[in-house]
Amino acid sequence: MTPSASADLSRLLFDGRYEQTHQDLHELLLDPLFDPREGLTMDEAGKLAYERSRAVHAGLERPREILADPWRLFALAEWPSLVDVSTFSLLMVHYNLAFGTVVEHGARDDLKDLFDELDRLDSFSPYMATELGYGNNVAALRTEAVYDAGSETFVLNTPDALAQKYMSYSGFQDIPKLAVVMARLKADGKDHGVFPFLVRISDRDGLCEGVHAAPCPEKPVQGLDNGLTWFDHVRVPRRNLLHGDMGGFDANGTFRPASGNRRRRFLRAMSRILPGRLCVSSAATGAGRAGVYIALRYAARRLTNAPGRNDLPVIEYRSHQLALFTALARTYAMTLLLNHAKREFTGAPRDAAPAGLNHLVSITKALTTWEMTEVIATCRERCGAQGIFSVNRIADYGSLLQGLVTAEGDNQVLLATTAGQIIAQSSDVEEPGAAPDPRGRSLRDPAFLVAVLRHREQELLRAARAAMADDSQDRTYFEAWNGTINTGLEMARARGVRTALECLAAAVDAARDETARAALALLAALYGLTEVRRDAGWFLARGALTAEQVERLPLEADALCAELQPYADTLTGGFNLSPELLRAPIAADDYVAAFQRRTGALGPAAARTAEGS
C-alpha cells in the first residue's frame, strides 16, 4: 500500500472532511461496547442497540448541533452500521426523521421541554408515518387527529386495521418513547391533510393510555422492536401539533392552514425524507466499502491451488479479480456520486429544493442501495462459507441493504416517480444527437464511455416522451404510463450511472498523487466498461459501439483487473477502515488465528502444546 496515495484517495472519498467530520465517529466505535456479541436473543440484541445508541449520543455533540450540519448527519449515518446495523437504524430515525421534524416544525418556546427531552435522548423518538395499508402512499394515510376546541386537545385515533402504524419502533414497551406521528388533521368539520404530531407512546412503566402495540415478526440480524401501533382516542395537547409554517391557530382558536394546496403542505411536513435518502445512501456506500475491504483482505490471504501450483492466494484468479475489482469500482463510483448529491443538497436553498435536486437525490438513493446490494452479495459469495457468519460482518450488511432498498421510499416506486417527473418536464427537453462515433475510440477512455452512456440516456428519454405523447391510441393516462414505465426506469438509472462515471472521471483529474491517479483511471475505465457491457447489444444496434469493440469488452475487463491488482491495497486504504474497527476475523492479517479465537478452538498446534503441558 502506498500511504500518500491512500491519503489522497481518502481525501476524495470523504470530500476532504474525514478529520473534522468522520474521524471521531470512527474512534468512538472502537469502544468495547461495540465488540460482537454472540448468542444473544433478538430482544437482547435490540436492547443492546438502544444501549449503543445512547453511547453514540453521549460521545458526540447534541442532536440539534448535528442536524445543523448535514455533513455531520451523513457521517453519523455512515459509521455505526459497520459494527451494528440496528444502532444505525435507531439513530437515523431519532436524529433525522423524528427530531429533525421537531426542529424544522416545532422549535417553539411552548415545546421547549419536549424538544430538550429528545435532544438529551431521555426518550427515543419513533417516526410513525407508514401504515399497514398505505406503505407506498403515505399521503393517503388514515390515522386521524380530530381537534376538540373545548379541551384544546386533538383526539388521535386509528379508524381501522389498515390504518395501523407499521414498522416503527414500539415493540419494547418499557423504553420511553415520544413519537412523531403523521396524522390527518381534522378541525371544524374539515380535513386539512396530513400533519406531524408529538405523541408520548410509552414510559418506563409501559405503553401510555390508549396506545396499543404488537411486535412485528422477527427480522434476520436486526433485533429491533418494529411493531404495529394503533391509537384508541388518545388525547394529544394542542401544542403538540408540529405545524411550523404549514398553518396554525388564530386568536379565536380556529385552525388556519397555510396558503397553497394540500399536497404542498404534505411535502413540507415530510421534509426530512430528502436528507433521509442521503443518510440511507451513506449507510449503503459505507457498508459497500466495508464489504469490499473485508473480501479483498481475505482474498489476499485465503490460499487455494492452481494448475502446477499450491498455496496460491485466491485473488490471483482472474475470475475472483473480475468479481471483486468490479465491486470495488462500483463502490468508488457510488461513493463519489453520493458526494456529488450531498454537495448539491447542502448548497441548495433550505426552504425549497429545486426539482433537479430531488431527482438527483432520488436517483442516487435508488442506485446506491441497489448497487451496494449487488456488491455485498458478490463479496459474501466470494468469501465462501466464511461470508455466512455474522461475526465476519458481510452477511449483516446484506440484511442492512435489504432494509435500505425500501427505506425512505421503495426504490422501484421512487425511481418510477422520478422518471415520470423527468419525462414530463418540458424545460428538460434535449433532442438526442447522433451516437458518438466509436471508430478509433478506446474502451478505456472515460470521456468516450460517458458519451456512450449519455446517448443511451437521451434516447431512452426521447422514446419515453414520444410514447407518452402518442395520441394515436384511445387509452387512459395510466395505460400510457404503464406502457412507458420500464423505459422510464431504464432512463433514470442510465442518468445515475452516467453521472457516477462523470464523478469518477472528475476524481481522476482531482487526484494529486500520481499513484492514486493511475489507480482511479483504471477503476473509472472498469466501471464505465462494466456498464456499457450491460447493454452492449443496444449500443451495437445503434452504432455506438463497433462489433469488434463489443467482442473486446470481456477481454478488456480482464486486462484492467490484472493492472488493478497491484493497486488493491492502496484503493481500499482510502476507506480509512481497519481490522480493529470491523473486528471481522477474515479481515485480520492472520485470519485463521483470529477465527480460532472467535470460536474458542485451540487449533492443532495449540492443542498439542496444551496436551504436552
Side-chain angles (χ1 to χ4, degrees):
M1 182 171 71
T2 307
S4 61
S6 290
D8 197 25
L9 293 168
S10 173
R11 175 184 63 84
L12 296 168
L13 287 168
F14 293 96
D15 217 32
R17 293 177 167 85
Y18 179 77
E19 286 77 11
Q20 69 268 33
T21 306
H22 294 264
Q23 188 168 10
D24 64 334
L25 277 159
H26 180 155
E27 293 170 354
L28 179 63
L29 297 176
L30 295 172
D31 189 295
L33 177 64
F34 296 95
D35 288 349
R37 308 278 184 90
E38 295 184 74
L40 299 180
T41 66
M42 282 297 187
D43 279 359
E44 289 169 339
K47 290 291 180 71
L48 178 60
Y50 276 91
E51 182 183 355
R52 287 170 168 171
S53 296
R54 293 187 188 97
V56 173
H57 173 271
L60 303 177
E61 65 271 34
R62 284 291 182 85
R64 70 180 77 183
E65 297 173 68
I66 290 176
L67 283 166
D69 179 3
W71 288 101
R72 186 67 162 159
L73 179 67
F74 302 147
L76 180 61
E78 187 171 313
W79 288 93
S81 59
L82 303 187
V83 294
D84 185 351
V85 298
S86 299
T87 296
F88 151 79
S89 299
L90 288 175
L91 289 171
M92 281 303 100
V93 170
H94 181 89
Y95 277 69
N96 177 65
L97 288 178
F99 190 58
T101 298
V102 176
V103 169
E104 288 198 8
H105 305 305
R108 311 189 308 261
D109 289 343
D110 64 326
L111 281 177
K112 185 177 185 305
D113 58 329
L114 301 181
F115 185 100
D116 291 344
E117 178 182 336
L118 296 176
D119 198 37
R120 294 190 303 264
L121 203 61
D122 292 344
S123 293
F124 280 86
S125 189
Y127 186 77
M128 297 187 172
T130 303
E131 293 181 353
L132 187 58
Y134 302 93
N136 284 323
N137 189 13
V138 177
L141 61 79
R142 302 270 298 283
T143 301
E144 60 182 22
V146 180
Y147 184 58
D148 178 1
S151 63
E152 295 189 338
T153 63
F154 287 93
V155 180
L156 185 67
N157 197 51
T158 302
D160 53 54
L162 292 179
Q164 294 172 100
K165 294 299 182 183
Y166 172 58
M167 288 298 289
S168 46
Y169 305 130
S170 60
F172 294 154
Q173 298 174 5
D174 58 344
I175 295 177
K177 306 277 183 67
L178 183 59
V180 170
V181 178
M182 304 301 293
R184 194 165 294 284
L185 192 160
K186 296 182 177 180
D188 300 317
K190 298 177 182 177
D191 181 344
H192 296 288
V194 175
F195 282 75
F197 294 80
L198 264 179
V199 183
R200 194 169 297 283
I201 300 298
S202 61
D203 54 29
R204 297 192 186 280
D205 295 324
L207 294 175
C208 296
E209 184 178 357
V211 179
H212 304 274
C216 288
E218 287 186 354
K219 302 191 304 299
V221 179
Q222 300 188 52
L224 287 173
D225 59 326
N226 300 96
L228 283 174
T229 313
W230 63 99
F231 307 99
D232 184 5
H233 298 86
V234 176
R235 291 280 175 173
V236 180
R238 190 176 88 174
R239 68 167 183 148
N240 289 30
L241 168 63
L242 305 176
H243 55 71
D245 57 5
M246 300 172 290
F249 288 89
D250 63 19
N252 298 321
T254 302
F255 182 77
R256 304 289 184 189
S259 59
N261 61 40
R262 186 180 297 182
R263 176 69 179 174
R264 186 184 300 273
R265 290 197 298 271
F266 169 75
L267 293 175
R268 181 79 180 112
M270 300 283 289
S271 58
R272 296 308 303 178
I273 294 297
L274 195 64
R277 287 174 182 154
L278 294 172
C279 290
V280 164
S281 294
S282 297
T285 54
R289 291 195 299 272
V292 170
Y293 175 87
I294 293 167
L296 279 171
R297 282 185 63 85
Y298 184 42
R301 293 159 177 80
R302 179 187 180 193
L303 300 179
T304 185
N305 64 348
R309 296 185 61 181
N310 291 319
D311 294 343
L312 181 78
V314 70
I315 193 61
E316 295 292 336
Y317 272 99
R318 198 59 44 78
S319 55
H320 213 82
Q321 293 172 4
L322 183 62
L324 290 185
F325 292 161
T326 300
L328 179 63
R330 283 176 165 169
T331 302
Y332 260 81
M334 292 302 101
T335 299
L336 295 167
L337 170 65
L338 175 59
N339 285 347
H340 168 59
K342 289 174 180 176
R343 288 192 296 269
E344 293 296 308
F345 174 81
T346 55
R350 301 303 297 272
D351 54 342
L357 174 61
N358 279 287
H359 299 160
L360 172 62
V361 170
S362 296
I363 290 172
T364 298
K365 186 268 173 179
L367 190 59
T368 55
T369 53
W370 269 331
E371 289 286 280
M372 293 305 97
T373 297
E374 290 190 18
V375 163
I376 291 300
T378 296
C379 291
R380 198 232 62 77
E381 179 185 350
R382 292 296 166 171
C383 288
Q386 288 280 9
I388 297 172
F389 302 119
S390 278
V391 71
N392 285 323
R393 301 295 187 190
I394 296 175
D396 286 13
Y397 299 154
S399 173
L400 171 69
L401 263 299
Q402 290 300 311
L404 297 182
V405 163
T406 55
E408 317 298 46
D410 182 281
N411 276 2
Q412 191 86 322
V413 177
L414 178 63
L415 202 62
T417 301
T418 302
Q421 292 169 348
I422 293 172
I423 292 167
Q425 276 185 335
S426 58
S427 60
D428 194 31
V429 175
E430 183 180 352
E431 285 299 321
D437 187 352
R439 291 172 298 180
R441 302 297 297 269
S442 169
L443 290 173
R444 295 186 174 206
D445 179 6
F448 172 60
L449 296 173
V450 166
V452 167
L453 292 170
R454 185 186 294 276
H455 179 66
R456 174 169 165 78
E457 173 195 346
Q458 292 175 345
E459 279 291 321
L460 290 170
L461 180 56
R462 179 200 61 77
R465 282 181 171 149
M468 289 299 294
D470 182 8
D471 57 3
S472 63
Q473 306 175 56
D474 183 15
R475 55 184 182 167
T476 65
Y477 182 85
F478 170 73
E479 289 170 335
W481 173 237
N482 214 23
T484 310
I485 188 170
N486 288 325
T487 301
L489 287 166
E490 281 294 309
M491 177 274 299
R493 185 189 183 279
R495 176 170 292 196
V497 166
R498 183 262 303 168
T499 306
L501 181 56
E502 287 176 338
C503 292
L504 190 46
V508 176
D509 295 335
R512 299 166 184 167
D513 181 274
E514 184 176 341
T515 300
R517 188 179 305 112
L520 284 171
L522 294 171
L523 274 189
L526 181 58
Y527 176 70
L529 187 149
T530 300
E531 284 299 328
V532 168
R533 187 177 177 184
R534 181 177 181 269
D535 298 295
W538 189 96
F539 292 116
L540 177 64
R542 286 158 179 79
L545 290 179
T546 66
E548 181 185 6
Q549 286 171 329
V550 171
E551 289 181 334
R552 277 204 57 78
L553 285 171
L555 300 175
E556 200 68 60
D558 279 355
L560 284 167
C561 287
E563 293 175 46
L564 271 167
Q565 187 178 0
Y567 297 106
D569 285 348
T570 296
L571 286 162
T572 56
F575 296 164
N576 286 329
L577 296 171
S578 67
E580 292 74 25
L581 172 72
L582 298 175
R583 302 154 167 99
I586 58 173
D589 289 332
D590 186 346
Y591 77 86
V592 174
F595 188 70
Q596 287 181 173
R597 285 194 296 271
R598 288 299 306 167
T599 60
L602 290 173
R608 285 194 296 271
T609 301
E611 289 170 5
S613 63

